[in-house]
Structure formats: C-alpha cells, structure tokens
Coordinates of all heavy atoms in Angstrom, one line a residue:
H5 N 4.7 -14.4 -8.5 CA 4.9 -13.0 -8.7 C 4.3 -12.2 -7.5 O 3.2 -12.6 -7.0 CB 4.5 -12.5 -10.0 CG 5.2 -13.0 -11.1 ND1 6.1 -12.3 -11.9 CD2 5.1 -14.3 -11.7 CE1 6.5 -13.2 -12.9 NE2 5.9 -14.4 -12.8
N6 N 4.9 -11.2 -7.1 CA 4.4 -10.3 -6.3 C 4.3 -8.9 -6.8 O 4.8 -8.6 -7.9 CB 4.9 -10.4 -4.9 CG 6.4 -9.8 -4.9 OD1 6.8 -9.1 -5.7 ND2 7.1 -10.2 -3.9
L7 N 3.8 -7.8 -6.0 CA 3.6 -6.6 -6.6 C 4.8 -6.0 -7.0 O 5.0 -5.4 -8.0 CB 3.0 -5.9 -5.5 CG 2.4 -4.4 -5.8 CD1 1.4 -4.5 -6.8 CD2 1.8 -3.7 -4.6
I8 N 6.0 -6.0 -6.3 CA 7.2 -5.4 -6.7 C 7.8 -6.1 -7.7 O 8.5 -5.5 -8.7 CB 8.2 -5.3 -5.5 CG1 7.5 -4.3 -4.4 CG2 9.5 -4.8 -5.7 CD1 8.1 -4.2 -3.0
I9 N 8.0 -7.4 -7.8 CA 8.6 -8.1 -8.8 C 7.8 -7.9 -10.1 O 8.4 -7.7 -11.2 CB 8.7 -9.7 -8.5 CG1 9.6 -9.9 -7.5 CG2 9.2 -10.5 -9.7 CD1 9.7 -11.3 -6.9
D10 N 6.5 -7.9 -10.1 CA 5.7 -7.5 -11.3 C 6.0 -6.2 -11.7 O 6.2 -6.1 -13.0 CB 4.2 -7.7 -10.9 CG 3.4 -7.5 -12.0 OD1 3.7 -8.3 -13.1 OD2 2.1 -7.1 -12.0
A11 N 6.1 -5.1 -11.0 CA 6.5 -3.9 -11.4 C 7.9 -3.8 -12.0 O 8.2 -3.1 -13.0 CB 6.4 -2.9 -10.2
L12 N 8.8 -4.6 -11.3 CA 10.1 -4.6 -11.8 C 10.3 -5.2 -13.3 O 10.9 -4.7 -14.1 CB 11.0 -5.4 -10.9 CG 12.5 -5.6 -11.2 CD1 13.2 -4.4 -11.3 CD2 13.1 -6.6 -10.2
T13 N 9.5 -6.3 -13.5 CA 9.6 -7.0 -14.8 C 8.9 -6.1 -15.9 O 9.3 -6.3 -17.1 CB 9.0 -8.4 -14.8 OG1 7.7 -8.3 -14.3 CG2 9.9 -9.3 -13.9
K14 N 7.8 -5.4 -15.5 CA 7.1 -4.7 -16.4 C 7.6 -3.3 -16.8 O 7.6 -2.9 -17.9 CB 5.6 -4.6 -16.1 CG 4.8 -5.9 -16.3 CD 3.3 -5.5 -15.9 CE 2.5 -6.8 -15.9 NZ 1.1 -6.6 -15.5
Y15 N 8.1 -2.6 -15.8 CA 8.4 -1.2 -16.0 C 10.0 -0.8 -15.5 O 10.2 0.3 -15.7 CB 7.4 -0.4 -15.1 CG 6.0 -0.6 -15.5 CD1 5.2 -1.4 -14.7 CD2 5.4 -0.2 -16.6 CE1 3.9 -1.7 -15.0 CE2 4.2 -0.4 -17.1 CZ 3.3 -1.2 -16.2 OH 2.1 -1.4 -16.6
G16 N 10.6 -1.6 -14.9 CA 12.0 -1.4 -14.5 C 12.2 -1.1 -13.1 O 11.3 -1.3 -12.3
I17 N 13.5 -0.9 -12.7 CA 13.9 -0.7 -11.4 C 13.4 0.5 -10.7 O 13.1 0.4 -9.6 CB 15.5 -0.9 -11.3 CG1 15.9 -0.9 -10.0 CG2 16.1 0.3 -12.1 CD1 15.8 -2.3 -9.2
V18 N 13.3 1.6 -11.4 CA 12.8 2.8 -10.9 C 11.4 2.6 -10.4 O 11.1 3.1 -9.2 CB 13.1 4.0 -11.8 CG1 12.5 5.3 -11.2 CG2 14.5 4.2 -12.2
T19 N 10.5 2.1 -11.2 CA 9.2 1.9 -10.7 C 9.1 0.9 -9.6 O 8.3 1.2 -8.7 CB 8.4 1.4 -12.0 OG1 8.5 2.4 -13.1 CG2 6.8 1.3 -11.6
A20 N 9.9 -0.1 -9.7 CA 9.8 -1.0 -8.5 C 10.2 -0.4 -7.2 O 9.7 -0.6 -6.1 CB 10.8 -2.2 -8.8
L21 N 11.2 0.5 -7.3 CA 11.7 1.1 -6.1 C 10.6 2.1 -5.6 O 10.4 2.3 -4.4 CB 13.0 1.9 -6.4 CG 14.2 1.1 -6.6 CD1 15.4 1.9 -6.9 CD2 14.5 0.3 -5.2
L22 N 9.9 2.8 -6.5 CA 8.9 3.7 -6.1 C 7.6 2.9 -5.6 O 7.1 3.4 -4.5 CB 8.3 4.4 -7.4 CG 9.3 5.6 -7.9 CD1 8.8 6.1 -9.2 CD2 9.5 6.7 -6.9
V23 N 7.3 1.8 -6.0 CA 6.3 1.0 -5.5 C 6.7 0.5 -4.1 O 5.9 0.6 -3.1 CB 5.9 -0.2 -6.4 CG1 5.0 -1.2 -5.7 CG2 5.2 0.3 -7.7
G24 N 8.0 0.2 -4.0 CA 8.4 -0.3 -2.6 C 8.4 0.8 -1.7 O 8.0 0.7 -0.5
A25 N 8.8 2.0 -2.0 CA 8.8 3.2 -1.3 C 7.4 3.5 -0.8 O 7.2 3.9 0.4 CB 9.6 4.4 -1.9
L26 N 6.4 3.5 -1.7 CA 5.0 3.7 -1.4 C 4.6 2.8 -0.3 O 3.9 3.3 0.7 CB 4.2 3.6 -2.6 CG 2.7 3.8 -2.4 CD1 2.3 5.3 -2.2 CD2 2.0 3.2 -3.6
L27 N 4.9 1.6 -0.4 CA 4.4 0.6 0.5 C 5.1 0.8 1.9 O 4.4 0.8 2.9 CB 4.7 -0.8 0.1 CG 4.0 -1.2 -1.2 CD1 4.3 -2.7 -1.7 CD2 2.4 -1.2 -0.9
V28 N 6.3 1.3 1.9 CA 7.0 1.5 3.2 C 6.4 2.7 3.9 O 6.2 2.7 5.1 CB 8.5 1.6 3.0 CG1 9.2 2.2 4.2 CG2 9.1 0.3 2.6
V29 N 6.2 3.7 3.1 CA 5.7 4.9 3.6 C 4.2 4.7 4.2 O 3.9 5.1 5.4 CB 5.5 6.2 2.6 CG1 4.6 7.3 3.1 CG2 7.0 6.6 2.3
A30 N 3.3 3.9 3.4 CA 2.1 3.6 4.0 C 2.1 2.7 5.2 O 1.2 2.9 6.1 CB 1.3 2.8 2.8
L31 N 3.1 1.9 5.3 CA 3.1 1.1 6.5 C 3.6 1.9 7.7 O 3.1 1.6 8.8 CB 4.1 -0.1 6.3 CG 4.3 -1.1 7.3 CD1 3.0 -1.9 7.6 CD2 5.4 -2.2 6.9
I32 N 4.5 2.6 7.5 CA 5.1 3.6 8.6 C 3.8 4.5 9.0 O 3.7 4.6 10.2 CB 6.2 4.4 8.2 CG1 7.4 3.4 8.0 CG2 6.5 5.5 9.2 CD1 8.7 4.2 7.4
A33 N 3.2 5.1 8.2 CA 2.0 6.0 8.6 C 1.0 5.1 9.3 O 0.4 5.6 10.3 CB 1.4 6.6 7.2
A34 N 0.7 3.8 8.9 CA -0.3 3.1 9.5 C 0.2 2.5 11.0 O -0.6 2.6 11.9 CB -0.5 1.9 8.7
I35 N 1.5 2.3 11.1 CA 2.0 2.1 12.4 C 1.9 3.3 13.4 O 1.6 3.1 14.5 CB 3.5 1.6 12.2 CG1 3.5 0.1 11.7 CG2 4.1 1.5 13.6 CD1 4.9 -0.3 11.2
R36 N 2.2 4.4 12.8 CA 2.0 5.7 13.6 C 0.7 5.9 13.9 O 0.3 6.4 15.1 CB 2.5 6.9 12.9 CG 4.0 6.9 12.7 CD 4.6 8.2 12.2 NE 4.3 9.4 13.1 CZ 4.0 10.6 12.6 NH1 4.2 10.9 11.4 NH2 3.8 11.5 13.5
A37 N -0.4 5.7 13.1 CA -1.7 5.7 13.5 C -2.1 4.7 14.6 O -3.0 5.0 15.4 CB -2.7 5.7 12.3
A38 N -1.5 3.4 14.5 CA -1.9 2.4 15.4 C -1.3 2.9 16.8 O -1.9 2.4 17.8 CB -1.2 1.1 15.0
S39 N -0.2 3.7 16.9 CA 0.1 4.1 18.2 C -0.8 5.0 18.8 O -0.7 5.3 20.1 CB 1.6 4.7 18.1 OG 1.5 5.9 17.3
R40 N -1.6 5.6 18.0 CA -2.6 6.6 18.5 C -4.0 5.8 18.7 O -5.1 6.3 18.7 CB -2.9 7.7 17.6 CG -1.8 8.6 17.6 CD -2.1 9.8 16.5 NE -1.1 10.8 16.6 CZ -1.2 11.9 17.4 NH1 -2.2 12.0 18.1 NH2 -0.2 12.8 17.4
L41 N -3.9 4.4 18.7 CA -5.0 3.5 18.8 C -6.1 3.6 17.7 O -7.2 3.3 17.9 CB -5.9 3.8 20.3 CG -5.0 3.7 21.5 CD1 -5.8 4.1 22.7 CD2 -4.4 2.3 21.5
V42 N -5.6 4.0 16.6 CA -6.4 3.9 15.3 C -5.8 2.6 14.6 O -4.9 2.8 13.7 CB -6.3 5.2 14.4 CG1 -7.2 5.0 13.1 CG2 -6.8 6.3 15.3
I43 N -6.3 1.5 14.7 CA -5.7 0.2 14.2 C -6.2 -0.2 12.8 O -5.5 -1.1 12.2 CB -5.8 -0.8 15.2 CG1 -7.3 -1.1 15.6 CG2 -5.1 -0.5 16.6 CD1 -7.5 -2.3 16.4
V44 N -7.4 0.3 12.4 CA -8.0 -0.2 11.1 C -6.9 0.1 9.9 O -6.8 -0.9 9.1 CB -9.2 0.5 10.9 CG1 -9.8 0.1 9.5 CG2 -10.2 0.0 11.9
P45 N -6.2 1.2 9.8 CA -5.3 1.4 8.7 C -4.2 0.4 8.7 O -3.8 -0.1 7.6 CB -4.8 2.7 9.0 CG -5.7 3.5 9.7 CD -6.5 2.5 10.5
L46 N -3.7 0.0 9.8 CA -2.7 -1.0 9.9 C -3.2 -2.3 9.4 O -2.5 -3.0 8.7 CB -2.1 -1.2 11.3 CG -0.9 -2.1 11.5 CD1 0.2 -1.7 10.7 CD2 -0.6 -2.2 12.9
G47 N -4.4 -2.7 9.9 CA -4.9 -3.9 9.2 C -5.2 -3.9 7.7 O -4.9 -4.9 7.1
L48 N -5.6 -2.8 7.2 CA -5.8 -2.6 5.8 C -4.6 -2.7 5.0 O -4.4 -3.4 3.9 CB -6.6 -1.4 5.5 CG -8.0 -1.3 6.0 CD1 -8.6 0.1 5.7 CD2 -8.8 -2.4 5.2
V49 N -3.5 -2.0 5.6 CA -2.1 -2.1 4.9 C -1.6 -3.5 5.0 O -1.1 -4.0 3.9 CB -1.2 -0.9 5.6 CG1 0.2 -1.3 5.0 CG2 -1.6 0.4 5.2
A50 N -1.8 -4.2 6.0 CA -1.3 -5.6 6.1 C -2.0 -6.4 5.1 O -1.5 -7.3 4.6 CB -1.5 -6.1 7.6
L51 N -3.4 -6.2 5.0 CA -4.1 -7.1 4.1 C -3.6 -6.7 2.6 O -3.6 -7.6 1.9 CB -5.6 -6.7 4.2 CG -6.6 -7.3 3.3 CD1 -6.6 -8.8 3.4 CD2 -7.9 -6.7 3.4
F52 N -3.4 -5.4 2.3 CA -2.9 -5.2 1.0 C -1.5 -5.8 0.7 O -1.3 -6.2 -0.3 CB -2.8 -3.5 0.9 CG -2.3 -3.2 -0.5 CD1 -3.1 -3.3 -1.6 CD2 -0.9 -2.9 -0.7 CE1 -2.6 -2.9 -2.8 CE2 -0.5 -2.6 -1.8 CZ -1.3 -2.6 -3.0
L53 N -0.7 -5.8 1.8 CA 0.7 -6.4 1.6 C 0.5 -7.8 1.4 O 1.3 -8.6 0.6 CB 1.6 -6.1 2.8 CG 2.0 -4.7 2.9 CD1 2.8 -4.5 4.2 CD2 2.9 -4.3 1.7
V54 N -0.4 -8.6 2.0 CA -0.7 -10.0 1.8 C -1.2 -10.3 0.4 O -0.7 -11.1 -0.3 CB -1.5 -10.6 2.9 CG1 -2.1 -12.0 2.4 CG2 -0.9 -10.6 4.3
I55 N -2.0 -9.5 0.0 CA -2.6 -9.5 -1.4 C -1.5 -9.3 -2.5 O -1.4 -10.0 -3.4 CB -3.9 -8.6 -1.6 CG1 -5.0 -9.0 -0.8 CG2 -4.2 -8.6 -3.2 CD1 -6.2 -8.1 -0.8
G56 N -0.8 -8.3 -2.2 CA 0.3 -7.9 -3.1 C 1.4 -8.9 -3.1 O 2.2 -9.1 -4.1
A57 N 1.6 -9.6 -2.2 CA 2.9 -10.6 -1.9 C 2.3 -12.0 -2.7 O 3.0 -12.8 -3.1 CB 3.2 -10.9 -0.6
T58 N 1.0 -12.2 -2.8 CA 0.4 -13.5 -3.2 C -0.1 -13.5 -4.6 O -0.3 -14.5 -5.3 CB -0.6 -14.1 -2.2 OG1 -1.6 -13.2 -2.1 CG2 0.1 -14.4 -0.9
E59 N -0.7 -12.3 -5.0 CA -1.3 -12.2 -6.3 C -0.8 -11.1 -7.1 O -0.4 -9.9 -6.6 CB -2.8 -12.0 -6.1 CG -3.7 -13.1 -5.5 CD -5.1 -12.8 -5.4 OE1 -5.6 -11.9 -6.3 OE2 -5.8 -13.5 -4.7
S60 N -0.7 -11.2 -8.4 CA -0.3 -10.2 -9.2 C -1.4 -10.1 -10.3 O -1.0 -9.5 -11.6 CB 1.1 -10.3 -9.8 OG 1.1 -11.5 -10.6
D61 N -2.6 -10.4 -10.1 CA -3.6 -10.3 -11.0 C -4.0 -8.8 -11.4 O -4.6 -8.5 -12.3 CB -4.8 -11.1 -10.6 CG -4.6 -12.6 -10.5 OD1 -3.6 -13.0 -11.1 OD2 -5.3 -13.2 -9.8
F62 N -3.8 -7.9 -10.5 CA -4.1 -6.5 -10.6 C -2.8 -5.8 -11.1 O -1.8 -6.1 -10.7 CB -4.8 -5.9 -9.5 CG -3.9 -5.9 -8.2 CD1 -3.2 -4.8 -7.9 CD2 -3.9 -7.0 -7.3 CE1 -2.4 -4.7 -6.8 CE2 -3.1 -7.0 -6.3 CZ -2.3 -5.8 -5.9
D63 N -3.0 -4.6 -11.8 CA -2.0 -3.8 -12.3 C -1.8 -2.8 -11.2 O -2.6 -2.2 -10.7 CB -2.3 -3.3 -13.6 CG -1.1 -2.7 -14.3 OD1 0.0 -2.9 -13.8 OD2 -1.3 -2.1 -15.3
W64 N -0.5 -2.5 -10.9 CA -0.2 -1.6 -9.8 C -0.6 -0.1 -10.1 O -0.9 0.7 -9.2 CB 1.3 -1.6 -9.5 CG 2.1 -1.1 -10.4 CD1 2.7 -1.8 -11.4 CD2 2.5 0.2 -10.6 NE1 3.4 -0.8 -12.3 CE2 3.3 0.4 -11.7 CE3 2.3 1.5 -10.0 CZ2 3.9 1.6 -12.2 CZ3 2.9 2.6 -10.4 CH2 3.6 2.7 -11.4
N65 N -0.7 0.2 -11.4 CA -1.0 1.6 -11.7 C -2.5 1.7 -12.3 O -2.7 2.8 -12.8 CB 0.1 2.2 -12.8 CG 0.1 1.4 -14.0 OD1 -0.6 0.4 -14.1 ND2 0.8 1.7 -15.0
A66 N -3.2 0.8 -12.1 CA -4.7 0.9 -12.5 C -5.5 0.9 -11.2 O -5.2 0.2 -10.2 CB -5.0 -0.2 -13.5
T67 N -6.7 1.4 -11.4 CA -7.7 1.2 -10.2 C -8.1 -0.1 -10.0 O -8.5 -0.7 -11.0 CB -8.8 2.2 -10.5 OG1 -8.4 3.5 -10.8 CG2 -9.8 2.3 -9.3
S68 N -8.0 -0.6 -8.8 CA -8.5 -2.0 -8.6 C -8.9 -2.1 -7.1 O -8.6 -1.3 -6.3 CB -7.3 -3.1 -8.8 OG -6.2 -2.7 -8.0
P69 N -9.6 -3.1 -6.7 CA -10.1 -3.2 -5.3 C -8.9 -3.3 -4.3 O -9.0 -2.6 -3.3 CB -10.9 -4.6 -5.4 CG -11.5 -4.6 -6.7 CD -10.4 -4.0 -7.7
P70 N -7.8 -4.0 -4.6 CA -6.8 -3.9 -3.6 C -6.1 -2.6 -3.5 O -5.9 -2.2 -2.3 CB -5.7 -4.9 -4.3 CG -6.5 -5.8 -5.1 CD -7.5 -5.1 -5.6
W71 N -6.0 -1.7 -4.6 CA -5.5 -0.4 -4.3 C -6.5 0.5 -3.5 O -6.1 1.4 -2.9 CB -5.2 0.3 -5.7 CG -3.9 -0.1 -6.1 CD1 -3.6 -1.0 -7.1 CD2 -2.6 0.1 -5.6 NE1 -2.3 -1.1 -7.3 CE2 -1.6 -0.4 -6.3 CE3 -2.1 1.0 -4.5 CZ2 -0.2 -0.2 -6.1 CZ3 -0.9 1.3 -4.4 CH2 0.1 0.5 -5.1
L72 N -7.8 0.1 -3.6 CA -8.8 0.9 -2.8 C -8.4 0.8 -1.4 O -8.7 1.7 -0.6 CB -10.3 0.5 -3.3 CG -11.3 1.2 -2.6 CD1 -11.2 2.7 -2.8 CD2 -12.5 0.7 -3.0
L73 N -8.1 -0.4 -1.0 CA -7.7 -0.7 0.5 C -6.6 0.1 0.8 O -6.6 0.7 2.0 CB -7.4 -2.2 0.6 CG -8.5 -3.3 0.6 CD1 -8.0 -4.6 0.5 CD2 -9.5 -3.1 1.5
L74 N -5.6 0.3 0.1 CA -4.4 1.1 0.3 C -4.8 2.6 0.4 O -4.3 3.2 1.4 CB -3.3 0.9 -0.6 CG -1.9 1.6 -0.3 CD1 -1.4 0.8 1.0 CD2 -1.0 1.4 -1.5
V75 N -5.6 3.1 -0.4 CA -6.0 4.5 -0.5 C -6.9 4.7 0.8 O -6.7 5.8 1.4 CB -6.8 4.8 -1.8 CG1 -7.5 6.1 -1.6 CG2 -5.9 4.9 -3.0
L76 N -7.8 3.8 1.2 CA -8.7 3.9 2.3 C -7.8 3.9 3.6 O -7.9 4.8 4.4 CB -9.6 2.8 2.4 CG -10.6 2.8 3.5 CD1 -11.5 4.0 3.6 CD2 -11.5 1.5 3.5
A77 N -6.7 3.1 3.6 CA -5.9 3.0 4.8 C -5.1 4.3 5.1 O -4.9 4.8 6.1 CB -4.9 1.8 4.8
V78 N -4.6 4.9 3.9 CA -3.8 6.1 4.0 C -4.7 7.2 4.3 O -4.3 8.1 5.1 CB -3.0 6.3 2.7 CG1 -2.4 7.7 2.7 CG2 -1.9 5.2 2.5
A79 N -5.9 7.3 3.8 CA -6.7 8.3 4.1 C -7.2 8.2 5.7 O -7.3 9.3 6.3 CB -8.0 8.2 3.3
M80 N -7.4 7.1 6.1 CA -7.8 7.0 7.5 C -6.7 7.3 8.4 O -6.7 7.9 9.5 CB -8.2 5.6 7.9 CG -9.6 5.2 7.2 SD -10.1 3.5 7.6 CE -10.4 3.5 9.3
T81 N -5.4 7.2 7.9 CA -4.2 7.4 8.7 C -4.0 8.9 8.8 O -3.7 9.5 9.8 CB -2.9 6.8 8.1 OG1 -3.2 5.4 8.1 CG2 -1.8 7.3 8.8
V82 N -4.2 9.6 7.6 CA -4.1 11.1 7.5 C -5.0 11.7 8.4 O -4.7 12.6 9.2 CB -4.3 11.6 6.1 CG1 -4.3 13.1 6.1 CG2 -3.0 11.1 5.3
Y83 N -6.4 11.3 8.4 CA -7.4 11.9 9.3 C -7.3 11.5 10.8 O -7.9 12.1 11.5 CB -8.7 11.5 8.8 CG -9.1 12.2 7.4 CD1 -9.3 11.5 6.3 CD2 -9.1 13.6 7.4 CE1 -9.6 12.2 5.1 CE2 -9.4 14.2 6.2 CZ -9.6 13.4 5.1 OH -9.8 14.2 3.9
S84 N -6.3 10.7 11.1 CA -6.3 10.3 12.5 C -5.4 11.2 13.2 O -5.3 11.2 14.5 CB -5.8 8.9 12.7 OG -4.5 8.8 12.3
F85 N -4.6 12.0 12.5 CA -3.5 13.0 13.1 C -4.3 14.4 13.2 O -4.8 14.8 12.3 CB -2.3 13.1 12.4 CG -1.5 11.8 12.4 CD1 -1.5 10.8 11.3 CD2 -0.8 11.5 13.5 CE1 -0.8 9.7 11.4 CE2 0.0 10.3 13.7 CZ 0.0 9.4 12.6
P86 N -4.2 15.0 14.4 CA -4.7 16.3 14.5 C -3.9 17.4 13.7 O -2.8 17.3 13.4 CB -4.5 16.7 16.0 CG -3.5 15.8 16.4 CD -3.5 14.6 15.6
L87 N -4.7 18.4 13.2 CA -4.0 19.5 12.5 C -3.1 20.4 13.3 O -3.3 20.8 14.3 CB -5.0 20.2 11.6 CG -5.7 19.4 10.6 CD1 -6.8 20.3 10.0 CD2 -4.7 18.9 9.6

C-alpha cells in the first residue's frame, strides 16, 4: 500500500484526491523553491514521497514523523519567497 491507496481504501475517492492534490502542490512549491536555489524542501518532499510510496504504517490525517517532513518542507518553501 501507499499513501494514496491507503486513503482511498479507508476514506474514499474524495480524500484520496485531496491527498494527491496536497502532494502535487507541495511538489510544485518545492520545485519553485529549488529554482531559487533553496533545495532542501525538494529533498524533503522527495523523501516524503518515497516514504509514502513504500510504507503505510502512518495515518495520513494524524501527526507523525513523515508528515513533519512535509510540513517542514512547505514551511521552508513559503519562507524562501520574498513578500
């Protein structure tokens, strides 16, 4: 199982689409930050995607160490863009 299939089987198609959309937005934001030479968020999002594709031991809607990586990556991405 992976993160999206796990959300699909537990909560349905809408939740699986939301999880997928969240991952796509995080990946796009990390790629944009990498174009500004802030590459750590891209590495963290890639690590989260690998963990999400290979393990489903964590619940997608509960606080867990893999989700902390995603939150950290998105926070670093947001702070890399000037106001």
